[in-house]
Amino acid sequence: MDILKIKGGKPLEGKVKAAGAKNAITKLLVASLLSDKKAVFHNVPDIAEVDVTVELCREIGSHVQWNRAEGILEIVTKDLKTSYVPQRFSGSNRIPILMIGSLLGRTDEDIIVPTAGGCKIGKRPVDFHLSALEKLGAQIEYREMKKEGAYFARAHHGLKGAIIDLPFPSVGATENTLLAAVHAKGKTVIRNAAIEPEIMDLILFLQKLGVRIGIEADRTIHVYQAQQFYEVEHIVITDRIEAASLALAGISTKGRVFVESTQHLPMISFLNKLHEVNAGFEVKKEGIEFFYKGPLRGGIHVETDVHPGFMTDWQQPFVVLLTQANGASVVHETVYENRFGYTETLKLMGADIEPFTQCLGNKPCRFASHNFLHSIVIKGATPLMSKDIVIPDLRAGFAYVLAALLAPDISHISGLHFLDRGYEHLVEKLSLLGADITRVSSSNKSDTPLHPLLDALVGATTNRK
Ligand code: EPU
């Protein structure tokens, strides 16, 4: 069980490269299971989420060669060894549930997948996935297994194209439907689909694989049953969450960071908010440079939304930035009902944050008449104090790293398996920018004098991978 030791208070300066997107490559690997053709991916991030997904694909029968140093991964699944995803993958991430969509058209056997996991940031049901797949002809049952439940799915009469109206543009449900539609007879129409850049990347991959697929301006996707499959070579898009996280580390520490490989288009709504808070950026040929250019201006309003809105996964480090901006700012979370739990720790570090159950904003929000704390008001600027922290989920984890980088003394952060899932070589990248950050083993007490309470908490934190 490792721990990060961070001594903050230094401006971050320099150049780092953003990796390939976690939320693209994991889905692309699952999509490769649709056919028996080889897929070669470039720009593959060296993160634990890819390890877990590769392990999952190998379990199903994939042959995978992954050159981590080069970021190149080859995968081919000539024959399915099994369509049973073991319970040990339960709770690991959001990927097992997508196995239903990718395998339904490849086997007559039952596809058995454990319940979906991922960060605990709300209930995260899979009802949209299941009803879309059922509409395409799948029969899906939930059964209790030894420890926890699993979904049993089959399409004994084959899949048949249909019109799917998603109640909300869910990323996962759109992906699952897209995958199943590849083998569904005729044409499938997905209305109110998610169109996140990572989904666009999946669509590009599917087109190269041999699928006829198109998108209309109103977020309707048309998919025709594939007649033939081809080998695919594909460059994974840049991780726009990592890019924004590194950008915010540069700006909030009053530094200047060039994030190589950051693409402009997927960052539009993020960059607009930087304009509003008086943070600097320059879009260059090879990426985007982010910098502090004077006092940060609060008094702004951020509402998270589906693409092309402000991403829910940018929200957490952006809130840390807003603690350093002068004035009261409002953040309204409209994607997840429970994504502000992490602010309690920021408050203990000195942030002035008040949560509200009301919608502090005008965007349509599914949580309007519920009792969820899904809006906050941040009053800045407040200095942050160092603290010993246990990470509760991936994006909160980066927010804590950022808060620790702003606090002048030493913070210890545990629960690093969350960060490992989605941030490639985080310590190396931040060190390159001049951060005083080290990763030490919690058993190596001589390296890091830990708070006794933290020791106890670390002991209690289990690695769910
Ligand atoms: N939802 C339902 N029913 C469903 C599916 C979703 O009610 O069947 C709700 C969810 O509970 C949530 C909202 O719809 O409130 C959005 O969920 P969505 O399906 O869009 O999210 P996801 O596919 O589970 C992916 C990313 C998340 C990212 C969201 C939104 C992956 C592996 N995860 O999750 O990324 O926040 O889309 O963009 O792609 C992260 O990387 O840290 C992360 C949480």
Side-chain angles (χ1 to χ4, degrees):
M1 212 70 75
D2 292 355
I3 280 185
L4 284 184
K5 181 179 165 192
I6 299 176
K7 181 164 176 0
K10 288 174 73 179
L12 300 194
E13 310 264 353
K15 175 174 156 183
V16 274
K17 187 169 183 291
K22 162 180 97 70
N23 292 345
I25 179 62
T26 44
K27 325 301 174 66
L28 293 166
L29 289 170
V30 176
S32 78
L33 303 177
L34 286 165
S35 87
D36 59 359
K37 298 285 191 249
K38 183 170 81 176
V40 181
F41 296 109
H42 299 260
N43 200 30
V44 175
D46 184 6
I47 53 175
E49 199 86 330
V50 176
D51 279 296
V52 174
T53 311
V54 164
E55 198 189 330
L56 189 59
C57 292
R58 284 194 173 125
E59 187 77 34
I60 300 300
S62 307
H63 291 275
V64 182
Q65 281 184 312
W66 181 9
N67 180 335
R68 288 175 196 258
E70 298 286 326
I72 300 174
L73 190 154
E74 278 188 26
I75 180 166
V76 62
T77 315
K78 288 277 174 223
D79 298 297
L80 298 188
K81 201 166 75 186
T82 176
S83 53
Y84 169 54
V85 178
Q87 293 277 314
R88 71 172 190 280
F89 290 99
S90 157
S92 58
N93 60 20
R94 307 290 296 162
I95 305 307
I97 192 76
L98 299 178
M99 288 292 184
I100 302 182
S102 66
L103 298 182
L104 269 176
R106 262 198 97 173
T107 177
D108 289 332
E109 302 284 314
D110 273 8
I111 298 146
I112 306 170
V113 301
T115 48
C119 290
K120 299 284 175 249
I121 48 181
K123 276 199 190 147
R124 306 190 80 181
V126 290
D127 49 338
F128 307 157
H129 298 237
L130 303 182
S131 63
L133 295 169
E134 282 169 350
K135 217 158 172 207
L136 292 175
Q139 299 91 49
I140 307 176
E141 289 163 56
Y142 176 79
R143 288 191 215 154
E144 288 298 334
M145 305 271 284
K146 268 185 212 146
K147 281 192 188 147
E148 43 192 311
Y151 295 100
F152 286 67
R154 67 202 73 87
H156 287 327
H157 308 295
L159 293 167
K160 195 165 177 306
I163 297 176
I164 311 291
D165 279 294
L166 290 176
F168 180 79
S170 147
V171 169
T174 302
E175 290 160 346
N176 226 339
T177 316
L178 278 174
L179 295 171
V182 169
H183 284 288
K185 205 168 159 207
K187 177 181 172 184
T188 298
V189 177
I190 313 172
R191 293 189 189 135
N192 197 26
I195 52 159
E196 267 60 8
E198 295 75 22
I199 291 189
M200 292 300 151
D201 208 32
L202 175 61
I203 288 176
L204 296 183
F205 172 84
L206 293 177
Q207 191 170 53
K208 290 189 247 180
L209 188 69
V211 183
R212 186 144 69 94
I213 186 165
I215 310 154
E216 288 178 24
D218 64 350
R219 286 201 275 106
T220 300
I221 302 179
H222 299 253
V223 190
Y224 294 85
Q225 181 182 25
Q227 305 300 328
Q228 200 182 345
F229 292 109
Y230 302 92
E231 288 194 355
V232 177
E233 187 150 8
H234 189 80
I235 304 171
V236 180
I237 53 162
T238 301
D239 196 311
R240 62 198 170 116
I241 309 173
E242 189 204 14
S245 306
L246 295 167
L248 291 168
I251 296 163
S252 24
T253 58
K254 302 191 176 165
R256 175 178 280 265
V257 171
F258 179 67
V259 188
E260 202 185 329
S261 295
T262 307
Q263 288 145 353
H264 189 176
L265 192 59
M267 303 292 284
I268 285 185
S269 47
F270 177 76
L271 298 177
N272 280 335
K273 289 297 163 196
L274 292 188
H275 273 316
E276 283 187 54
V277 290
N278 191 38
F281 67 86
E282 259 177 56
V283 179
K284 301 188 171 176
K285 197 166 145 241
E286 309 292 340
I288 304 183
E289 187 158 45
F290 300 91
F291 52 93
Y292 179 81
K293 61 174 187 179
L296 295 168
R297 206 167 39 220
I300 74 157
H301 188 201
V302 180
E303 290 186 270
T304 65
D305 205 349
V306 298
H307 193 73
F310 190 93
M311 284 187 91
T312 169
D313 306 289
W314 290 331
Q315 179 255 97
Q316 305 75 358
F318 207 85
V319 164
V320 178
L321 179 89
L322 290 176
T323 67
Q324 304 307 301
N326 296 313
S329 298
V330 173
V331 181
H332 178 210
E333 169 65 58
T334 76
V335 180
Y336 290 104
E337 70 274 28
N338 183 16
R339 223 176 178 184
F340 283 128
Y342 73 95
T343 58
E344 287 305 312
T345 299
L346 294 184
K347 278 157 73 174
L348 296 175
M349 295 176 84
D352 183 343
I353 299 177
E354 195 179 347
F356 292 86
T357 53
Q358 294 92 332
C359 294
L360 299 183
N362 298 321
K363 278 196 187 287
C365 173
R366 294 167 301 142
F367 317 128
S369 53
H370 298 88
N371 214 20
F372 301 124
L373 290 167
H374 72 292
S375 299
I376 54 169
V377 174
I378 306 131
K379 289 185 190 143
T382 51
L384 296 181
M385 291 167 298
S386 307
K387 195 166 162 38
D388 292 346
I389 312 168
V390 182
I391 292 174
D393 67 72
L394 173 59
R395 305 304 168 192
F398 192 87
Y400 291 162
V401 168
L402 186 48
L405 287 168
L406 293 173
D409 295 322
I410 294 177
S411 298
H412 298 105
I413 303 184
S414 62
L416 303 190
H417 55 286
F418 284 113
L419 283 174
D420 294 340
R421 280 179 48 196
Y423 289 95
E424 183 189 70
H425 308 158
L426 182 62
V427 172
E428 290 81 348
K429 287 185 187 181
L430 291 175
S431 302
L432 203 64
L433 297 174
D436 190 343
I437 178 169
T438 41
R439 184 170 178 142
V440 287
S441 161
S442 66
S443 56
N444 192 351
K445 296 277 168 48
S446 58
D447 270 356
T448 328
L450 292 178
H451 190 283
L453 176 64
L454 181 68
D455 267 349
L457 287 169
V458 168
T461 310
T462 52
N463 189 336
R464 292 168 56 246
K465 271 192 305 183

